[in-house]
Every structure is written in structure tokens, then in C-alpha cells.
């Protein structure tokens, strides 16, 4: 099963990642400096920028210093360990604004891309531990439950629009509250699609006719045959399989077969899976790699930024990604995709009844309050997150600075993100389609996902058969689930 080959590939990826992080980031006081190096990890929801950990910025440091006397007097302070490097600057601004308004010191430290768990592990045991941190769902809660305060009586939880989204414990307590909802699917450039629909012999007249895998495959393969006429290099952007950049496949795409297997069993987790919908995963994955901007054997050198740039520059018609990707398209120098032309369609794989399927919608961004922090700090932290979801200033930051689709009843229709992919997400949530829930939060470990991604790369390179990939997924899932049993 070429397990040695996969292990070697992963080791090489880890070495490469560690070397890439050795440059001078210019940041000081980094939380990551005290943490061991972590192997590459997917940017689970929005892909994190490849930057070093950011310590106390000038704004956060000044606000913390200004509030030292208040904290010493027992009024409490806030320390947020942020997961996403791409919004560090925004969080530093928020921290300064809140301290200016309330006098309560707020410190924000941002972990470098792929190091959050390691940084949290180092920081949570320190004398100045985070009072606010995040987990990715039930698996994350299992790792950090000793530090998660029960939020069932908090305004944060009580204002949650869908309380079923919260992470709960066996005791009925609420230990993680989502602060954003996201969705992913196949993003397409409608201008290119309209040009295709106008071609002679087009396999569909409009996107609405593409509501299952069979029709999608028919359209995509016809577009490939007509790619020169359409002015594209491939229908799909490159399927990025550079180690550490493969999260769209070993996590997001892998969610679909797991979702359907869970659904068949009426369960929310499994100690072992049969990978029953393996062929469905292969359906769409093969469609991606065989109708791409580059040959399958070159995909190991491609990063997410490569594929998003290809889409932004009009070199392809489609790319799998989430609603967070609008900025990745709009900010590309030379972008040709107009705001009104960027749209979503579901990821079809050939499952019976998928005509009623919507986008993959959910979250793995859950706020947790440190149960072992001082009571005054817990209260200050709860007041801070309540300000984020209820005050005019906080809500403006949530939507317009952080780009969150906040799932709280305190937000009105005019307080939702207005970028085109966010609008598409809400359109699908409201059109009666059945959303595919995010079950990848129950995947057994990062090691499982890394091994899956490495196997996909070997499959693309012709070094593994699909049966070998399937066997690896089944075996590694069971092994890693067994290893997490307390």
C-alpha cells in the first residue's frame, strides 16, 4: 500500500514547511516562538496566509499596558488567541477600539499558519493563558474540554440563531459557539459559462440544467473540447496538491462521502468507515484533474494561490472553494472576473437524489472561553464577545472587517456580508436545497488528512491505484479514531 512512500512524502513536506518558516517575519513576542514546530495543516475554513505568528501588536500591547491597573484591580482582561493570520490586523484594530471604549485591556495574539494547536498547547499552560480561543468542532472539543467553559447561560449562546450549531458535551453543556457560518462548492465564472452555452451543440442551455454529476461531466468534457474557442486553459483550476495546500480535497471534498455515509447510518460520527461513497469521490476528483489547467502529474507543485489566480485571470471557468474566496479573486493583479459573474454551484458526485443538494454549509470556527481563567477574566471575555455580536461597532467589525456571516439573531438583513459569494451562500440557504453539513470536524486527526492528501497526490502521479487510496482511507481512519479514544 505504499505507506513508506507516503510517509517519506510527508516528511519532506514537513522539512520544506519548516525551512520556509525560517525567514525573518519582523514580529516580536510571538506565541509560536515558545511552541514546537507544527507540520503543515489545512486552513480549514478560510485559507490562512503563509505568515509567521504575530505577537502583541503595538495596538494590542498599548491597550494591554493601559489596562494593567484595571486588571490588577480585579476588573478582568481579555486575551484572544486568533486562528487566522489573514485577519490579524483587523483583530488588532478591534482590540484597540474595545479598550478605548471600555477601558478593558484586550490582547490578540495570532498563530502562524498551520501552528494553532501547537501554539494553543504552549499558551494554555502558561501563567498568561488565553481567555478566548477556538476549536474546530467536536474533535477539537475532545482535545480541549478541560479548558472549555459552559456557555449555556451566556448571551453569546442565547443569541445564536440555530442552537444546533453549538458544540455540546455529554452533560448537555454548551462549550463552543460558532461565530461565523461558511459554505463551499464549485465557484464558476458565469461569463465563461454563458459563452459556452452559446456554442453549437452545448450540452446545457443554462446552469440550472446542471443539477447532477452526469450533466456536470457532460458539460465539463464538452467545454474541454472547446477550451480554445472559449479562451481557457482548462475548465477547472489546478487541483492544488502541494503538501499543506491539499485541504480542499482531503478535508472539504472528503466531507461529501462521509456526509452521505453518516446520513445512511443516521449517525454523526463513526469509529470506522467503509468509504461507501469512494467511487463518488473519485467521480468528481477525476473530473477535476482530467479537465484542469495542468496535467495531473504537475499538481504536486500547485498551491491554492495558484489555482485562485488561474480563476481570477480567466484561465479556467471553475474552481472548488468557499465563500471566503472572493477576496482571493478580487485582489489578484489583473483579475478579469466581474463581481456579478462569480457564482456557486453544488459539488455533484453522482449520489442518488443529488438534484436537491445544496452547498456544503457549516462552520468549524467555535469560540471557547477558558474555564481555568480567573472569574474576572471570564466575565470580561464574555462581555467582549457579547459586544462583538450586539453593539453597532462590534457587528460592523464582524461583518465588514472580518467578513463573517454571523449566525446570531442580533444581526439584521442589512448586517450580512455583501460580497458576491456570501450572497450566493445565502441564496442557496434560502432556496430550499438541502445543505451538506460539515462533518469533516469529526475527521479523526490531522495525520489522517495528511495521509489522505499524500495518497491523492500519489494517485495523480500514477503511483497508487484508487483501490489503494480507498484502503488507506479506511485503515487510517480506524487507526486514528482508535488512537483518540480516551
Amino acid at each position: 500500500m505504499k505507506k513508506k512512500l507516503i510517509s517519506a512524502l510527508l516528511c519532506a513536506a514537513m522539512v520544506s514547511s519548516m525551512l520556509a518558516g525560517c525567514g525573518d517575519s519582523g514580529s516580536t513576542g510571538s506565541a509560536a516562538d515558545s511552541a514546537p514546530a507544527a507540520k503543515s495543516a489545512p486552513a480549514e475554513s478560510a485559507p490562512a496566509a503563509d505568515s509567521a505568528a504575530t505577537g502583541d501588536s503595538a495596538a494590542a500591547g498599548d491597550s494591554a499596558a493601559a489596562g494593567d491597573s484595571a486588571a490588577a484591580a480585579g476588573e478582568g482582561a481579555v486575551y484572544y488567541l486568533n486562528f487566522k493570520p489573514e485577519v490579524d490586523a483587523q483583530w488588532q484594530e478591534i482590540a484597540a477600539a474595545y479598550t478605548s471604549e471600555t477601558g478593558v485591556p484586550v490582547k490578540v495574539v495570532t498563530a502562524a499558519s498551520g501552528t494553532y494547536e501547537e501554539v494553543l498547547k504552549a499558551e494554555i499552560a502558561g501563567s498568561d493563558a488565553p481567555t478566548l480561543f477556538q476549536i474546530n468542532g467536536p474533535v477539537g472539543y475532545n482535545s480541549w474540554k478541560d479548558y472549555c467553559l459552559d456557555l449555556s447561560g451566556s448571551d453569546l449562546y442565547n443569541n445564536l440563531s440555530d442552537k444546533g450549531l453549538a458544540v455540546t458535551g455529554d452533560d448537555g453543556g454548551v462549550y463552543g459557539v460558532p461565530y461565523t457560518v461558511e459554505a463551499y462548492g464549485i465557484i464558476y465564472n458565469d461569463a465563461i459559462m454563458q459563452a459556452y452555452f452559446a456554442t453549437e451543440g452545448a450540452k446545457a442551455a443554462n446552469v440550472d440544467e446542471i443539477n447532477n454529476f452526469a450533466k456536470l461531466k457532460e458539460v465539463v468534457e464538452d467545454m474541454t473540447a472547446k477550451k480554445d474557442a472559449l479562451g481557457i486553459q482548462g475548465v477547472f483550476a489546478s487541483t492544488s496538491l502541494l503538501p499543506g495546500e491539499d485541504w480542499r480535497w482531503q478535508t472539504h471534498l472528503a466531507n461529501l462521502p462521509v456526509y452521505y455515509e453518516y446520513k445512511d447510518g443516521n449517525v454523526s460520527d463513526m469509529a470506522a468507515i467503509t468509504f461507501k461513497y469512494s467511487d463518488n469521490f473519485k467521480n468528481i476528483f477525476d473530473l477535476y484533474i482530467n479537465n484542469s489547467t495542468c496535467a495531473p502529474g504537475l499538481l504536486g507543485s500547485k498551491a491554492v494561490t495558484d489555482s485562485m489566480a488561474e480563476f481570477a485571470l480567466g484561465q479556467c471557468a471553475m474552481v472548488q472553494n468557499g465563500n471566503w474566496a472572493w477576496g482571493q479573486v478580487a485582489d489578484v493583479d489583473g483579475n478579469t472576473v466581474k463581481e456579478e459573474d462569480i457564482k456557486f454551484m453544488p459539488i455533484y458526485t453522482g449520489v442518488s437524489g443529488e438534484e436537491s443538494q445544496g452547498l456544503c454549509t457549516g462552520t468549524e470556527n467555535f469560540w471557547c472561553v477558558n474555564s481555568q481563567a480567573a472569574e474576572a477574566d471570564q466575565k470580561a471575555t464574555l462581555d467582549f464577545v457579547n459586544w462583538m455580536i450586539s453593539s453597532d461597532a462590534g457587528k460592523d467589525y464582524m461583518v465588514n472587517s472580518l467578513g463573517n456571516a454571523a449566525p446570531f439573531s442580533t444581526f439584521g438583513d442589512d448586517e450580512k456580508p455583501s460580497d458576491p459569494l456570501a450572497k450566493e451562500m445565502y441564496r442557496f440557504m434560502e432556496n430550499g436545497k438541502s445543505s451538506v453539513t460539515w462533518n469533516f470536524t469529526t475527521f479523526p486527526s490531522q495525520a489522517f488528512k495528511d495521509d489522505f492528501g499524500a495518497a491523492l497526490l500519489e494517485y495523480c502521479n500514477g503511483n497508487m491505484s484508487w483501490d489503494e487510496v480507498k484502503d488507506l482511507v479506511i485503515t487510517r481512519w480506524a487507526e486514528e479514531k482508535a488512537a483518540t479514544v480516551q
Side-chain angles (χ1 to χ4, degrees):
M1 196 187 290
K2 298 187 175 62
K3 195 166 185 178
K4 290 182 180 178
L5 180 60
I6 294 171
S7 298
L9 188 151
L10 287 171
C11 289
M14 290 170 66
V15 171
S16 173
S17 176
M18 291 167 67
L19 290 173
C22 290
D24 180 8
S25 69
S27 63
T28 60
S30 166
D33 291 344
S34 62
K39 61 186 170 183
S40 298
E44 308 288 82
S45 54
D50 186 13
S51 59
T54 303
D56 307 351
S57 71
D62 291 346
S63 66
D68 279 348
S69 60
E75 295 179 11
V78 181
Y79 169 9
Y80 178 39
L81 183 59
N82 172 40
F83 172 71
K84 297 181 178 181
E86 70 269 24
V87 291
D88 174 70
Q90 292 89 325
W91 273 112
Q92 304 302 342
E93 181 182 346
I94 291 166
Y98 186 77
T99 297
S100 177
E101 179 179 323
T102 66
V104 175
V106 178
K107 176 174 72 171
V108 176
V109 172
T110 298
S113 176
T115 70
Y116 191 80
E117 288 290 304
E118 295 296 336
V119 174
L120 180 57
K121 189 177 297 182
E123 291 285 286
I124 204 78
S127 58
D128 180 25
T131 63
L132 181 68
F133 62 96
Q134 76 174 66
I135 59 174
N136 68 351
V139 172
Y141 168 66
N142 191 53
S143 297
W144 298 103
K145 59 186 176 184
D146 291 341
Y147 295 92
C148 296
L149 184 71
D150 185 356
L151 302 174
S152 55
S154 68
D155 290 336
L156 181 68
Y157 173 68
N158 289 329
N159 284 314
L160 188 62
S161 299
D162 181 358
K163 293 181 173 55
L165 292 172
V167 173
T168 58
D170 293 337
D171 60 357
V174 174
Y175 298 101
V177 174
Y179 57 83
T180 187
V181 174
E182 297 172 312
Y184 63 91
I186 295 174
I187 300 171
Y188 65 91
N189 183 335
D190 195 48
I192 295 175
M193 296 306 297
Q194 294 305 320
Y196 166 71
F197 296 139
T199 64
E200 184 177 356
K203 303 300 182 181
N206 53 61
V207 174
D208 290 340
E209 291 185 11
I210 308 173
N211 63 358
N212 56 59
F213 177 75
K215 178 56 69 172
L216 175 63
K217 184 174 187 291
E218 190 178 19
V219 167
V220 166
E221 291 179 346
D222 192 40
M223 291 179 72
T224 295
K226 298 173 178 176
K227 66 180 182 179
D228 290 342
L230 294 172
I232 58 177
Q233 296 177 15
V235 179
F236 290 104
S238 55
T239 306
S240 55
L241 282 166
L242 185 71
E245 295 284 322
D246 53 2
W247 49 269
R248 288 185 295 161
W249 326 116
Q250 39 90 318
T251 299
H252 285 182
L253 187 59
N255 181 74
L256 281 106
V258 173
Y259 163 77
Y260 281 111
E261 188 163 343
Y262 281 7
K263 187 176 180 181
D264 288 349
N266 194 29
V267 296
S268 58
D269 200 354
M270 284 182 170
I273 60 171
T274 65
F275 207 4
K276 176 180 177 180
Y277 292 93
S278 164
D279 287 347
N280 300 95
F281 183 101
K282 183 177 183 295
N283 280 345
I284 188 66
F285 190 72
D286 283 350
L287 196 68
Y288 289 163
I289 67 175
N290 293 326
N291 297 275
S292 174
T293 55
C294 71
L298 300 176
L299 296 174
S301 65
K302 295 294 184 177
V304 178
T305 51
D306 294 322
S307 60
M308 297 313 299
E310 291 164 5
F311 181 80
L313 297 174
Q315 296 172 5
C316 61
M318 302 181 189
V319 61
Q320 183 191 301
N321 214 336
N323 62 285
W324 54 84
W326 168 239
Q328 295 174 298
V329 174
D331 294 344
V332 170
D333 188 25
N335 168 51
T336 64
V337 184
K338 296 180 180 179
E339 186 168 339
E340 61 268 25
D341 286 330
I342 189 166
K343 307 286 185 181
F344 261 135
M345 74 170 70
I347 301 172
Y348 297 116
T349 63
V351 175
S352 176
E354 65 183 352
E355 289 79 6
S356 62
Q357 179 187 302
L359 303 178
C360 300
T361 307
T363 188
E364 58 170 354
N365 297 281
F366 297 85
W367 273 334
C368 299
V369 175
N370 189 346
S371 62
Q372 298 191 24
E375 186 175 343
D377 293 341
Q378 291 177 5
K379 181 181 184 305
T381 301
L382 288 168
D383 288 344
F384 173 63
V385 293
N386 188 51
W387 178 85
M388 289 292 300
I389 69 163
S390 60
S391 72
D392 289 342
K395 289 191 289 184
D396 183 65
Y397 280 123
M398 284 283 278
V399 175
N400 297 315
S401 292
L402 299 173
N404 291 334
F408 300 99
S409 58
T410 50
F411 288 76
D413 288 340
D414 59 344
E415 295 172 312
K416 296 177 180 178
S418 58
D419 71 78
L421 288 175
K423 290 179 179 177
E424 283 286 281
M425 177 182 71
Y426 284 117
R427 179 174 71 85
F428 270 92
M429 290 172 67
E430 296 164 1
N431 70 359
K433 299 284 187 178
S434 298
S435 296
V436 173
T437 57
W438 285 15
N439 296 288
F440 55 77
T441 56
T442 68
F443 283 18
S445 68
Q446 185 60 47
F448 162 78
K449 293 187 284 188
D450 288 343
D451 287 353
F452 191 0
L456 290 174
L457 177 57
E458 292 308 300
Y459 171 72
C460 289
N461 290 337
N463 296 325
M464 288 184 76
S465 69
W466 186 253
D467 284 343
E468 287 176 310
V469 175
K470 179 179 179 180
D471 288 344
L472 179 139
V473 169
I474 295 170
T475 299
R476 293 295 290 128
W477 179 289
E479 289 174 347
E480 289 297 294
K481 280 289 187 181
T484 60
V485 175
Q486 300 295 313

